[in-house]
Amino acid sequence: MPAQNDSSTTVPPRLKRLRAGVRRPGDAEGIGPEDRRHDERFEGGDLSHADLTDVTFERCDLVGLSLHQADLRAATFSESRLERIDAPVLSAPRSVWHDVVVAGSRIGSAELYESGWRSVELIDCKLGYVNLRGATIRDLRLTRCTVDELDLTNAQATRVAFEDTSVDHLVLAGARLAHTDLRGATLRRITSIERLAGATLSPPQLVEMAPLFAAELGIRVED
């Protein structure tokens, strides 16, 4: 059954502020599979098609990197900031994202299925297809982002919020939502609209989405 709100008030994401610290310069192109990197700043490297399976970035800054088709399967990002990332295809299934900020990045197809997200903020990002199927998401905020398709099939999402963000297609098949605040999102299409249990909408949104509800329920609306 879909998760239900456990209080009468929508609870916002609980985001951890990243600690400022000295980051020593790192060589992005020297990163390999299963590497453990911490307190480093990687800037301007090209990691396209690189094997980065099971890599860990802890308290790192990744700035202006190309990650197109890099293999980030089972990678871990912790207390880190990713800025101006370019990835027409981002392949990071079963990855872990804890206390992370992703800002000013352009990502086309993001394969993030069965990943774990906790305290993550996306700011000023342009995203194409975001595959979060089967993901566990806790404390996520998207601010001033555009998303072509957000696929939450069989995902569990708790304390998620959208601020000034557009989502062309939201897929909720089998999703379980709790304290998912959609009031700051512009939604154009929703698949499995019945899975909105646990989400919060504004009154104007509810009016705007009436045709979507009618279509889902098989209701014909005529003058």
Side-chain angles (χ1 to χ4, degrees), residues 48-99:
S48 299
H49 304 280
D51 183 359
L52 302 177
T53 53
D54 199 30
V55 70
T56 294
F57 295 100
E58 184 177 0
R59 298 185 304 277
C60 289
D61 294 335
L62 287 72
V63 181
L65 299 183
S66 174
L67 294 174
H68 177 52
Q69 291 189 336
D71 189 349
L72 285 158
R73 185 180 303 270
T76 296
F77 299 86
S78 174
E79 297 184 79
S80 295
R81 182 178 180 89
L82 287 72
E83 187 172 349
R84 301 197 311 277
I85 298 299
D86 179 48
V89 176
L90 178 67
S91 180
R94 303 184 181 92
S95 52
V96 175
W97 304 69
H98 287 177
D99 306 323

Side-chain angles (χ1 to χ4, degrees), residues 124-176:
D124 296 321
C125 291
K126 183 174 177 57
L127 309 166
Y129 172 59
V130 182
N131 180 357
L132 283 166
R133 292 185 169 214
T136 300
I137 305 162
R138 186 176 294 272
D139 300 307
L140 168 66
R141 183 167 64 204
L142 289 83
T143 302
R144 296 186 303 276
C145 294
T146 61
V147 185
D148 292 339
E149 182 172 343
L150 178 57
D151 190 346
L152 296 178
T153 298
N154 295 325
Q156 182 171 338
T158 303
R159 293 190 299 273
V160 177
F162 299 78
E163 297 184 6
D164 194 20
T165 288
S166 66
V167 180
D168 285 345
H169 186 193
L170 177 61
V171 182
L172 295 174
R176 291 174 292 169

Side-chain angles (χ1 to χ4, degrees), residues 133 149-154 167-175 177 187-196 209 212 216:
R133 292 185 169 214
E149 182 172 343
L150 178 57
D151 190 346
L152 296 178
T153 298
N154 295 325
V167 180
D168 285 345
H169 186 193
L170 177 61
V171 182
L172 295 174
L177 309 181
L187 303 168
R188 296 182 175 86
R189 179 185 172 196
I190 299 176
T191 295
S192 299
I193 202 167
E194 76 280 0
R195 305 302 293 195
L196 280 172
M209 292 170 60
L212 298 179
E216 187 75 22

